[in-house]
Amino acid sequence: MLETKDILETIDMIDNENLDVRTVTMGISLLDCIDSDIDKACDKIYDKICRYANDLVSTSDSISREYGIPIINKRIAVTPIAMIAAVCQTSKIVKFAKVLDKAADTVGVNFIGGYSALVEKGFAAGDYALIESIPEALSVTEKVCSSVNIGSTKAGINMDAVRMMGNTVVETAKLTKDRDCIGAAKLVTFCNAVQDNPFMAGAFHGVGEADCVINVGVSGPGVVRAALAKSDCKDLSQVAELIKKTAFKITRMGQLVAREASQRLSVPFGIVDLSLAPTPAVGDSVAHILEEMGLEICGCHGTTAALAMLNDAVKKGGVMASSHVGGLSGAFIPVSEDAGMINAVNNGALDITKLEAMTAVCSVGLDMIVVPGDTTPQTISAIIADEAAIGMVNSKTTAVRLIPAIGKNAGDTLNFGGLLGEGPVMPLRKGKPDTFIGRGGRIPAPIQALKN
Amino acid sequence: MKAIITVLGKDTVGILAKVSSACAEENVNIIEVTQSVLQDMFAMIMLSEFDSEKVSFDEFQKKLDILGDENGLKIHVMHEDIFNSMHKI
């Protein structure tokens, strides 16, 4: 029989430390829905998503009840729509966003990702139209998430795309300014995007993936923090060991849910994503783990080192717990979704430059950061370029999800509600990068791309 | 299937009797029971087994939920595998 203390530990993690499965995401390929007639393509997409994901929510809910683990989100990721739109004889492709939104509503998921384009080396048919349609698409839909990959270690950075994304982010925020600029919170710009990411807003179903697949994202910053608080670890070797053990347990739970969901839905199991994903709930913060390690406040000197260790220990613990690990797999540091990060920003301990340094050692990037409403598209592009350069050179995924708070300035707050949380407007650095961004072209791939 | 029933709360007379009779009413067989009382806190863990074709897991869970609410106890019914996967390699 199991040991009493183990059983009580699991129950305590779920009841008091916010242990949950953050998302069960079904990846669905839409390559067989391609049609030169956009209406026919949309019909095929709607039918396929509804057929495949019909039982996703009910099955996840029944697993959640049986095993006693909350499964917070049920989501869908689809093939990047730019590929589907490429053959359509029209540039009015917002219809695709609307049909994704409708399908998400029908099957009951809370987000659908894949209104995406992959343009790290250049634009193919459909890519321009898709990027240009993003602001409208995100303003007329509720559940659609969009992402654009503008760089990779192998290809370098497409600076024309970076320039476009600066405009796209600002336009998206403007079109949804009456709803706290929420459109921009559903738009991610990637370098080295992964094809099997279960987390929004950056999830899409890569072309190398199977027709349909189940990916699971676990969570548990609260559990890691509580484990550290209860322990009597003295040096950092012991802290790292404890984080590894805790990550192992969390991931085993995710693996179990992934296996069950894949069996019950008769869909192949893809990966478990090991990311520590915070929520705005009290006690579910990555910043608080860093503080538990001995920092007075997240953002003070030492934060990057603590985060690097946390990120690495989570991976080491998680890798053994799951048969297939993938996605982003690291600690997330979204500002608005993490009570500790918000507190650190409000106290002046955490600013965008420190966040940028932190993204060099963890997944995923400058995430859910609210910037002043008068920030120029060129400055947003420059932030994207900086972040993409970190990803490109370090062979890791980096992402930028900035929300220009239209009509607001440093000191104000945007409130998105729910899992997206609320974010204080953060000041940016001085100076104009306009000429640099205006040059366009490509930043060549770094030397480590040439490994053959 | 095998499920672990955990009962946590303030120690009072007859907790074991109430939970086990609820199990009997639903045709759920109890294989093993361990319980401990620390100060005033009562913690009981039962390993139970039932035929999932005859017994509805959801209804059994709801019944114990209500029983817990009525008696100020926190009762969880969870599939055994969650604990096995988290605590055994």
Side-chain angles (χ1 to χ4, degrees):
Chain A
M1 169 122 172
L2 286 147
E3 289 200 28
T4 307
K5 75 168 177 38
D6 291 340
I7 292 174
L8 294 180
E9 182 188 43
T10 298
I11 301 233
D12 199 34
M13 283 179 180
I14 293 168
D15 277 3
N16 304 323
E17 296 162 6
N18 298 309
L19 177 64
D20 55 48
V21 167
R22 183 52 45 82
T23 178
V24 173
T25 303
M26 180 181 268
I28 303 174
S29 167
L30 298 182
L31 291 174
D32 52 352
C33 301
I34 291 176
D35 199 300
S36 57
D37 178 341
I38 189 168
D39 292 319
K40 279 189 193 159
C42 286
D43 287 347
K44 288 187 203 171
I45 289 173
Y46 181 79
D47 288 346
K48 183 163 186 184
I49 293 174
C50 292
R51 196 167 68 244
Y52 278 46
N54 188 33
D55 297 329
L56 175 64
V57 173
S58 58
T59 305
S60 303
D61 287 345
S62 79
I63 293 173
S64 174
R65 279 196 303 275
E66 254 173 58
Y67 289 92
I69 314 158
I71 298 176
I72 308 296
N73 300 304
K74 279 68 77 175
R75 293 168 170 174
I76 295 172
V78 298
T79 308
I81 290 295
M83 292 179 193
I84 314 298
V87 297
C88 293
Q89 310 290 331
T90 171
S91 57
K92 292 175 183 162
I93 60 167
V94 174
K95 272 187 183 169
F96 283 116
K98 288 181 182 161
V99 80
L100 291 179
D101 207 37
K102 193 173 138 201
D105 249 348
T106 308
V107 299
V109 295
N110 67 343
F111 277 126
I112 183 162
Y115 200 75
S116 307
L118 311 176
V119 294
E120 59 267 36
K121 208 163 185 181
F123 298 91
D127 291 338
Y128 264 119
L130 185 116
I131 295 176
E132 277 173 354
S133 73
I134 287 173
E136 189 192 346
L138 295 182
S139 68
V140 298
T141 58
E142 291 282 323
K143 299 179 170 175
V144 174
C145 292
S146 177
S147 56
V148 177
N149 190 52
I150 51 83
S152 74
T153 301
K154 289 280 186 192
I157 301 171
N158 179 350
M159 291 299 288
D160 293 323
V162 169
R163 189 172 52 193
M164 276 184 92
M165 287 314 293
N167 276 316
T168 307
V169 169
V170 172
E171 281 306 308
T172 306
K174 279 185 184 161
L175 285 182
T176 49
K177 66 170 187 241
D178 53 336
R179 285 176 280 152
D180 280 282
C181 310
I182 195 157
K186 295 183 283 181
L187 170 61
V188 190
T189 312
F190 274 117
C191 176
N192 288 325
V194 293
Q195 312 227 337
D196 51 7
N197 166 22
F199 286 103
M200 293 297 169
F204 64 87
H205 186 71
V207 280
E209 297 281 316
D211 186 45
C212 186
V213 75
I214 287 288
N215 296 325
V216 166
V218 295
S219 171
V223 179
V224 175
R225 193 206 59 79
L228 283 174
K230 283 180 215 160
S231 79
D232 52 0
C233 290
K234 293 202 172 59
D235 71 20
L236 289 172
S237 305
Q238 292 170 341
V239 171
E241 272 304 303
L242 182 68
I243 296 171
K244 268 160 59 179
K245 284 179 188 157
T246 313
F248 176 82
K249 290 177 190 168
I250 296 171
T251 312
R252 287 279 279 198
M253 184 201 70
Q255 168 80 17
L256 175 70
V257 168
R259 206 186 58 214
E260 273 303 308
S262 112
Q263 257 171 23
R264 293 187 193 187
L265 291 163
S266 305
V267 169
F269 157 63
I271 55 98
V272 174
D273 187 316
L274 307 177
S275 301
L276 276 186
T279 65
V282 174
D284 208 15
S285 153
V286 169
H288 288 158
I289 302 177
L290 304 177
E291 289 166 9
E292 196 65 52
M293 282 184 187
L295 301 173
E296 186 188 4
I297 188 163
C298 176
C300 72
H301 294 293
T303 302
T304 312
L307 183 60
M309 196 187 85
L310 170 68
N311 197 38
D312 184 62
V314 166
K315 283 181 200 168
K316 285 173 177 161
V319 150
M320 193 180 151
S322 169
S323 50
H324 296 281
V325 170
L328 300 167
S329 288
F332 289 166
I333 48 168
V335 175
S336 77
E337 298 173 7
D338 187 311
M341 296 278 173
I342 297 171
N343 177 50
V345 172
N346 286 335
N347 278 295
L350 187 62
D351 60 11
I352 190 138
T353 46
K354 189 64 184 172
L355 280 163
E356 193 178 303
M358 289 159 76
T359 64
V361 299
C362 80
S363 80
V364 158
L366 294 172
D367 197 14
M368 292 302 286
I369 294 174
V370 184
V371 298
D374 57 1
T375 308
T376 63
Q378 288 84 356
T379 299
I380 304 248
S381 292
I383 297 171
I384 291 172
D386 280 347
E387 196 55 33
I390 291 175
M392 176 181 76
V393 170
N394 294 305
S395 304
K396 72 185 286 294
T397 307
T398 47
V400 174
R401 184 159 50 146
L402 300 180
I403 302 106
I406 304 302
K408 298 195 176 185
N409 274 310
D412 297 334
T413 300
L414 283 187
N415 192 348
F416 310 109
L419 275 181
L420 296 173
E422 62 173 61
V425 180
M426 293 173 71
L428 300 175
R429 297 189 72 80
K430 291 195 178 105
K432 287 184 186 159
D434 299 15
T435 312
F436 176 69
I437 294 300
R439 284 176 188 272
R442 281 157 54 195
I443 294 181
I447 196 77
Q448 68 257 43
L450 306 172
K451 282 181 175 167
N452 298 333
Chain B
M1 66 181 269
K2 283 184 182 171
I4 305 261
I5 305 167
T6 54
V7 185
L8 304 169
K10 203 171 173 330
D11 192 20
T12 51
V13 176
I15 298 179
L16 178 57
K18 280 175 192 157
V19 177
S20 47
S21 53
C23 291
E25 282 164 27
E26 292 292 321
N27 221 359
V28 174
N29 185 28
I30 298 167
I31 304 172
E32 201 175 323
V33 183
T34 56
Q35 65 171 55
S36 58
V37 181
L38 275 175
Q39 289 162 343
D40 258 1
M41 288 304 289
F42 175 87
M44 177 169 73
I45 294 166
M46 293 170 140
L47 176 63
S48 65
E49 186 174 31
F50 55 89
D51 184 344
S52 45
E53 282 176 14
K54 289 183 191 153
V55 180
S56 153
F57 187 87
D58 282 1
E59 276 173 30
F60 179 53
Q61 214 171 29
K62 274 181 203 146
K63 186 174 180 134
L64 287 193
D65 255 357
I66 295 167
L67 181 74
D69 286 346
E70 285 169 358
N71 294 280
L73 299 164
K74 195 130 202 189
I75 305 183
H76 294 268
V77 186
M78 290 153 78
H79 197 297
E80 180 196 36
D81 280 355
I82 175 78
F83 303 102
N84 283 332
S85 67
M86 278 179 88
H87 299 287
K88 288 182 183 171
I89 294 180

PDB file of all heavy atoms in Angstrom, chain B residues 3 8-9 11 13 15 24 30 34 37 39-40 42-43 48-49 55 57-59 62 68 72 80 84 86-87:
ATOM      1  N   ALA B   3      -9.697   2.872  -5.867  1.00  0.00           N
ATOM      2  CA  ALA B   3      -9.673   4.296  -5.551  1.00  0.00           C
ATOM      3  C   ALA B   3      -9.210   4.494  -4.116  1.00  0.00           C
ATOM      4  O   ALA B   3      -9.428   3.634  -3.257  1.00  0.00           O
ATOM      5  CB  ALA B   3     -11.051   4.897  -5.734  1.00  0.00           C
ATOM      6  N   LEU B   8     -10.310  13.857   5.891  1.00  0.00           N
ATOM      7  CA  LEU B   8      -9.550  14.748   6.765  1.00  0.00           C
ATOM      8  C   LEU B   8     -10.507  15.666   7.510  1.00  0.00           C
ATOM      9  O   LEU B   8     -11.480  16.146   6.929  1.00  0.00           O
ATOM     10  CB  LEU B   8      -8.582  15.619   5.940  1.00  0.00           C
ATOM     11  CG  LEU B   8      -7.580  14.910   5.030  1.00  0.00           C
ATOM     12  CD1 LEU B   8      -6.911  15.904   4.099  1.00  0.00           C
ATOM     13  CD2 LEU B   8      -6.529  14.198   5.860  1.00  0.00           C
ATOM     14  N   GLY B   9     -10.235  15.909   8.762  1.00  0.00           N
ATOM     15  CA  GLY B   9     -11.096  16.839   9.491  1.00  0.00           C
ATOM     16  C   GLY B   9     -10.924  16.709  10.986  1.00  0.00           C
ATOM     17  O   GLY B   9     -10.008  16.037  11.463  1.00  0.00           O
ATOM     18  N   ASP B  11     -11.655  15.405  14.603  1.00  0.00           N
ATOM     19  CA  ASP B  11     -12.049  14.068  15.068  1.00  0.00           C
ATOM     20  C   ASP B  11     -13.385  14.115  15.810  1.00  0.00           C
ATOM     21  O   ASP B  11     -13.567  14.905  16.731  1.00  0.00           O
ATOM     22  CB  ASP B  11     -10.954  13.508  15.993  1.00  0.00           C
ATOM     23  CG  ASP B  11     -11.168  12.036  16.271  1.00  0.00           C
ATOM     24  OD1 ASP B  11     -11.892  11.403  15.467  1.00  0.00           O
ATOM     25  OD2 ASP B  11     -10.616  11.529  17.254  1.00  0.00           O
ATOM     26  N   VAL B  13     -17.013  11.365  16.880  1.00  0.00           N
ATOM     27  CA  VAL B  13     -17.437   9.968  17.016  1.00  0.00           C
ATOM     28  C   VAL B  13     -18.105   9.502  15.723  1.00  0.00           C
ATOM     29  O   VAL B  13     -18.923  10.215  15.141  1.00  0.00           O
ATOM     30  CB  VAL B  13     -18.424   9.825  18.193  1.00  0.00           C
ATOM     31  CG1 VAL B  13     -18.961   8.392  18.281  1.00  0.00           C
ATOM     32  CG2 VAL B  13     -17.735  10.208  19.491  1.00  0.00           C
ATOM     33  N   ILE B  15     -16.907   8.669  12.558  1.00  0.00           N
ATOM     34  CA  ILE B  15     -16.518   9.016  11.178  1.00  0.00           C
ATOM     35  C   ILE B  15     -16.330   7.755  10.336  1.00  0.00           C
ATOM     36  O   ILE B  15     -16.877   7.625   9.244  1.00  0.00           O
ATOM     37  CB  ILE B  15     -15.204   9.843  11.159  1.00  0.00           C
ATOM     38  CG1 ILE B  15     -15.385  11.168  11.894  1.00  0.00           C
ATOM     39  CG2 ILE B  15     -14.790  10.129   9.715  1.00  0.00           C
ATOM     40  CD1 ILE B  15     -14.141  12.019  11.945  1.00  0.00           C
ATOM     41  N   ALA B  24     -20.606   0.884   1.639  1.00  0.00           N
ATOM     42  CA  ALA B  24     -21.393  -0.337   1.536  1.00  0.00           C
ATOM     43  C   ALA B  24     -22.655  -0.099   0.718  1.00  0.00           C
ATOM     44  O   ALA B  24     -23.034  -0.905  -0.131  1.00  0.00           O
ATOM     45  CB  ALA B  24     -21.737  -0.839   2.931  1.00  0.00           C
ATOM     46  N   ILE B  30     -14.094  -2.145   0.748  1.00  0.00           N
ATOM     47  CA  ILE B  30     -12.922  -1.514   1.367  1.00  0.00           C
ATOM     48  C   ILE B  30     -11.850  -2.572   1.608  1.00  0.00           C
ATOM     49  O   ILE B  30     -12.109  -3.590   2.260  1.00  0.00           O
ATOM     50  CB  ILE B  30     -13.300  -0.824   2.691  1.00  0.00           C
ATOM     51  CG1 ILE B  30     -14.315   0.285   2.407  1.00  0.00           C
ATOM     52  CG2 ILE B  30     -12.068  -0.235   3.367  1.00  0.00           C
ATOM     53  CD1 ILE B  30     -14.987   0.826   3.635  1.00  0.00           C
ATOM     54  N   THR B  34      -6.189   2.869   6.975  1.00  0.00           N
ATOM     55  CA  THR B  34      -5.240   3.341   7.993  1.00  0.00           C
ATOM     56  C   THR B  34      -5.769   4.670   8.509  1.00  0.00           C
ATOM     57  O   THR B  34      -6.348   5.445   7.753  1.00  0.00           O
ATOM     58  CB  THR B  34      -3.826   3.605   7.433  1.00  0.00           C
ATOM     59  OG1 THR B  34      -3.949   4.528   6.360  1.00  0.00           O
ATOM     60  CG2 THR B  34      -3.147   2.355   6.963  1.00  0.00           C
ATOM     61  N   VAL B  37      -4.773  10.044  14.370  1.00  0.00           N
ATOM     62  CA  VAL B  37      -5.314  11.262  14.959  1.00  0.00           C
ATOM     63  C   VAL B  37      -4.136  12.045  15.521  1.00  0.00           C
ATOM     64  O   VAL B  37      -3.407  11.570  16.374  1.00  0.00           O
ATOM     65  CB  VAL B  37      -6.333  10.952  16.075  1.00  0.00           C
ATOM     66  CG1 VAL B  37      -6.888  12.250  16.645  1.00  0.00           C
ATOM     67  CG2 VAL B  37      -7.447  10.079  15.555  1.00  0.00           C
ATOM     68  N   GLN B  39      -3.252  15.418  17.413  1.00  0.00           N
ATOM     69  CA  GLN B  39      -3.982  16.395  18.226  1.00  0.00           C
ATOM     70  C   GLN B  39      -5.478  16.171  17.986  1.00  0.00           C
ATOM     71  O   GLN B  39      -5.982  15.102  18.246  1.00  0.00           O
ATOM     72  CB  GLN B  39      -3.536  17.814  17.910  1.00  0.00           C
ATOM     73  CG  GLN B  39      -2.140  18.063  18.443  1.00  0.00           C
ATOM     74  CD  GLN B  39      -1.465  19.256  17.810  1.00  0.00           C
ATOM     75  OE1 GLN B  39      -1.870  19.747  16.762  1.00  0.00           O
ATOM     76  NE2 GLN B  39      -0.414  19.703  18.445  1.00  0.00           N
ATOM     77  N   ASP B  40      -6.168  17.137  17.394  1.00  0.00           N
ATOM     78  CA  ASP B  40      -7.591  16.956  17.153  1.00  0.00           C
ATOM     79  C   ASP B  40      -7.899  16.523  15.722  1.00  0.00           C
ATOM     80  O   ASP B  40      -9.031  16.245  15.382  1.00  0.00           O
ATOM     81  CB  ASP B  40      -8.312  18.294  17.417  1.00  0.00           C
ATOM     82  CG  ASP B  40      -8.990  18.253  18.764  1.00  0.00           C
ATOM     83  OD1 ASP B  40      -8.865  17.215  19.437  1.00  0.00           O
ATOM     84  OD2 ASP B  40      -9.642  19.246  19.123  1.00  0.00           O
ATOM     85  N   PHE B  42      -8.137  14.465  12.395  1.00  0.00           N
ATOM     86  CA  PHE B  42      -8.356  13.077  12.036  1.00  0.00           C
ATOM     87  C   PHE B  42      -7.968  12.879  10.566  1.00  0.00           C
ATOM     88  O   PHE B  42      -8.367  13.664   9.712  1.00  0.00           O
ATOM     89  CB  PHE B  42      -9.843  12.771  12.239  1.00  0.00           C
ATOM     90  CG  PHE B  42     -10.270  11.416  11.793  1.00  0.00           C
ATOM     91  CD1 PHE B  42     -10.169  10.328  12.647  1.00  0.00           C
ATOM     92  CD2 PHE B  42     -10.806  11.224  10.521  1.00  0.00           C
ATOM     93  CE1 PHE B  42     -10.582   9.077  12.237  1.00  0.00           C
ATOM     94  CE2 PHE B  42     -11.223   9.971  10.117  1.00  0.00           C
ATOM     95  CZ  PHE B  42     -11.114   8.893  10.971  1.00  0.00           C
ATOM     96  N   ALA B  43      -7.157  11.877  10.287  1.00  0.00           N
ATOM     97  CA  ALA B  43      -6.812  11.584   8.891  1.00  0.00           C
ATOM     98  C   ALA B  43      -7.001  10.097   8.649  1.00  0.00           C
ATOM     99  O   ALA B  43      -6.388   9.273   9.325  1.00  0.00           O
ATOM    100  CB  ALA B  43      -5.370  11.977   8.603  1.00  0.00           C
ATOM    101  N   SER B  48      -9.996   1.369  -1.644  1.00  0.00           N
ATOM    102  CA  SER B  48     -11.268   0.727  -1.967  1.00  0.00           C
ATOM    103  C   SER B  48     -11.232   0.176  -3.381  1.00  0.00           C
ATOM    104  O   SER B  48     -10.409   0.578  -4.204  1.00  0.00           O
ATOM    105  CB  SER B  48     -12.393   1.735  -1.839  1.00  0.00           C
ATOM    106  OG  SER B  48     -12.225   2.741  -2.809  1.00  0.00           O
ATOM    107  N   GLU B  49     -12.143  -0.757  -3.630  1.00  0.00           N
ATOM    108  CA  GLU B  49     -12.184  -1.355  -4.952  1.00  0.00           C
ATOM    109  C   GLU B  49     -13.638  -1.488  -5.378  1.00  0.00           C
ATOM    110  O   GLU B  49     -14.493  -1.839  -4.576  1.00  0.00           O
ATOM    111  CB  GLU B  49     -11.542  -2.747  -4.905  1.00  0.00           C
ATOM    112  CG  GLU B  49     -11.426  -3.370  -6.277  1.00  0.00           C
ATOM    113  CD  GLU B  49     -10.655  -4.682  -6.240  1.00  0.00           C
ATOM    114  OE1 GLU B  49     -10.727  -5.367  -5.196  1.00  0.00           O
ATOM    115  OE2 GLU B  49      -9.995  -5.007  -7.230  1.00  0.00           O
ATOM    116  N   VAL B  55     -20.743   0.458 -10.544  1.00  0.00           N
ATOM    117  CA  VAL B  55     -20.802   1.615  -9.650  1.00  0.00           C
ATOM    118  C   VAL B  55     -20.390   2.866 -10.430  1.00  0.00           C
ATOM    119  O   VAL B  55     -19.380   2.864 -11.123  1.00  0.00           O
ATOM    120  CB  VAL B  55     -19.829   1.424  -8.461  1.00  0.00           C
ATOM    121  CG1 VAL B  55     -19.879   2.624  -7.523  1.00  0.00           C
ATOM    122  CG2 VAL B  55     -20.145   0.143  -7.728  1.00  0.00           C
ATOM    123  N   PHE B  57     -18.674   6.143 -10.639  1.00  0.00           N
ATOM    124  CA  PHE B  57     -17.636   6.852  -9.881  1.00  0.00           C
ATOM    125  C   PHE B  57     -18.125   8.247  -9.488  1.00  0.00           C
ATOM    126  O   PHE B  57     -17.978   8.677  -8.350  1.00  0.00           O
ATOM    127  CB  PHE B  57     -16.370   6.953 -10.745  1.00  0.00           C
ATOM    128  CG  PHE B  57     -15.183   7.503 -10.017  1.00  0.00           C
ATOM    129  CD1 PHE B  57     -14.353   6.675  -9.289  1.00  0.00           C
ATOM    130  CD2 PHE B  57     -14.910   8.863 -10.038  1.00  0.00           C
ATOM    131  CE1 PHE B  57     -13.254   7.183  -8.601  1.00  0.00           C
ATOM    132  CE2 PHE B  57     -13.814   9.371  -9.362  1.00  0.00           C
ATOM    133  CZ  PHE B  57     -12.986   8.526  -8.635  1.00  0.00           C
ATOM    134  N   ASP B  58     -18.757   8.925 -10.458  1.00  0.00           N
ATOM    135  CA  ASP B  58     -19.229  10.289 -10.215  1.00  0.00           C
ATOM    136  C   ASP B  58     -20.226  10.345  -9.064  1.00  0.00           C
ATOM    137  O   ASP B  58     -20.149  11.209  -8.199  1.00  0.00           O
ATOM    138  CB  ASP B  58     -19.891  10.853 -11.475  1.00  0.00           C
ATOM    139  CG  ASP B  58     -18.848  11.299 -12.480  1.00  0.00           C
ATOM    140  OD1 ASP B  58     -17.651  11.137 -12.169  1.00  0.00           O
ATOM    141  OD2 ASP B  58     -19.228  11.795 -13.545  1.00  0.00           O
ATOM    142  N   GLU B  59     -21.176   9.375  -9.078  1.00  0.00           N
ATOM    143  CA  GLU B  59     -22.213   9.402  -8.035  1.00  0.00           C
ATOM    144  C   GLU B  59     -21.636   9.093  -6.662  1.00  0.00           C
ATOM    145  O   GLU B  59     -22.000   9.710  -5.662  1.00  0.00           O
ATOM    146  CB  GLU B  59     -23.324   8.405  -8.378  1.00  0.00           C
ATOM    147  CG  GLU B  59     -24.338   9.012  -9.329  1.00  0.00           C
ATOM    148  CD  GLU B  59     -25.341   7.990  -9.818  1.00  0.00           C
ATOM    149  OE1 GLU B  59     -25.630   7.036  -9.061  1.00  0.00           O
ATOM    150  OE2 GLU B  59     -25.802   8.150 -10.967  1.00  0.00           O
ATOM    151  N   LYS B  62     -19.897  12.138  -5.467  1.00  0.00           N
ATOM    152  CA  LYS B  62     -20.844  13.169  -5.008  1.00  0.00           C
ATOM    153  C   LYS B  62     -21.409  12.813  -3.637  1.00  0.00           C
ATOM    154  O   LYS B  62     -21.546  13.662  -2.762  1.00  0.00           O
ATOM    155  CB  LYS B  62     -21.990  13.308  -6.022  1.00  0.00           C
ATOM    156  CG  LYS B  62     -21.640  14.276  -7.145  1.00  0.00           C
ATOM    157  CD  LYS B  62     -22.790  14.422  -8.118  1.00  0.00           C
ATOM    158  CE  LYS B  62     -22.260  14.894  -9.470  1.00  0.00           C
ATOM    159  NZ  LYS B  62     -23.007  14.363 -10.592  1.00  0.00           N
ATOM    160  N   GLY B  68     -19.225  14.556   3.489  1.00  0.00           N
ATOM    161  CA  GLY B  68     -18.151  15.386   4.044  1.00  0.00           C
ATOM    162  C   GLY B  68     -18.676  16.745   4.467  1.00  0.00           C
ATOM    163  O   GLY B  68     -18.380  17.224   5.571  1.00  0.00           O
ATOM    164  N   GLY B  72     -18.509  18.273   8.298  1.00  0.00           N
ATOM    165  CA  GLY B  72     -17.327  19.133   8.423  1.00  0.00           C
ATOM    166  C   GLY B  72     -16.027  18.420   8.104  1.00  0.00           C
ATOM    167  O   GLY B  72     -14.986  18.707   8.689  1.00  0.00           O
ATOM    168  N   GLU B  80      -6.444   5.384  -7.759  1.00  0.00           N
ATOM    169  CA  GLU B  80      -5.193   5.001  -7.109  1.00  0.00           C
ATOM    170  C   GLU B  80      -3.958   5.403  -7.924  1.00  0.00           C
ATOM    171  O   GLU B  80      -2.895   5.729  -7.381  1.00  0.00           O
ATOM    172  CB  GLU B  80      -5.209   3.469  -6.923  1.00  0.00           C
ATOM    173  CG  GLU B  80      -3.996   2.918  -6.271  1.00  0.00           C
ATOM    174  CD  GLU B  80      -3.893   1.406  -6.475  1.00  0.00           C
ATOM    175  OE1 GLU B  80      -4.277   0.914  -7.554  1.00  0.00           O
ATOM    176  OE2 GLU B  80      -3.422   0.742  -5.560  1.00  0.00           O
ATOM    177  N   ASN B  84       0.237   6.395  -7.259  1.00  0.00           N
ATOM    178  CA  ASN B  84       1.294   5.494  -7.732  1.00  0.00           C
ATOM    179  C   ASN B  84       2.237   6.216  -8.669  1.00  0.00           C
ATOM    180  O   ASN B  84       3.456   6.073  -8.576  1.00  0.00           O
ATOM    181  CB  ASN B  84       0.678   4.302  -8.472  1.00  0.00           C
ATOM    182  CG  ASN B  84       0.102   3.310  -7.504  1.00  0.00           C
ATOM    183  OD1 ASN B  84       0.563   3.204  -6.366  1.00  0.00           O
ATOM    184  ND2 ASN B  84      -0.925   2.602  -7.913  1.00  0.00           N
ATOM    185  N   MET B  86       2.843   9.419  -8.955  1.00  0.00           N
ATOM    186  CA  MET B  86       3.612  10.512  -8.367  1.00  0.00           C
ATOM    187  C   MET B  86       4.689  10.038  -7.395  1.00  0.00           C
ATOM    188  O   MET B  86       5.722  10.676  -7.245  1.00  0.00           O
ATOM    189  CB  MET B  86       2.690  11.495  -7.636  1.00  0.00           C
ATOM    190  CG  MET B  86       2.044  12.495  -8.571  1.00  0.00           C
ATOM    191  SD  MET B  86       0.957  13.610  -7.712  1.00  0.00           S
ATOM    192  CE  MET B  86       2.058  14.912  -7.227  1.00  0.00           C
ATOM    193  N   HIS B  87       4.426   8.917  -6.725  1.00  0.00           N
ATOM    194  CA  HIS B  87       5.330   8.557  -5.624  1.00  0.00           C
ATOM    195  C   HIS B  87       6.119   7.266  -5.839  1.00  0.00           C
ATOM    196  O   HIS B  87       6.903   6.876  -4.994  1.00  0.00           O
ATOM    197  CB  HIS B  87       4.542   8.490  -4.317  1.00  0.00           C
ATOM    198  CG  HIS B  87       3.921   9.814  -3.971  1.00  0.00           C
ATOM    199  ND1 HIS B  87       4.643  10.880  -3.516  1.00  0.00           N
ATOM    200  CD2 HIS B  87       2.644  10.250  -4.096  1.00  0.00           C
ATOM    201  CE1 HIS B  87       3.844  11.918  -3.329  1.00  0.00           C
ATOM    202  NE2 HIS B  87       2.627  11.562  -3.686  1.00  0.00           N
TER     203      HIS B  87
END
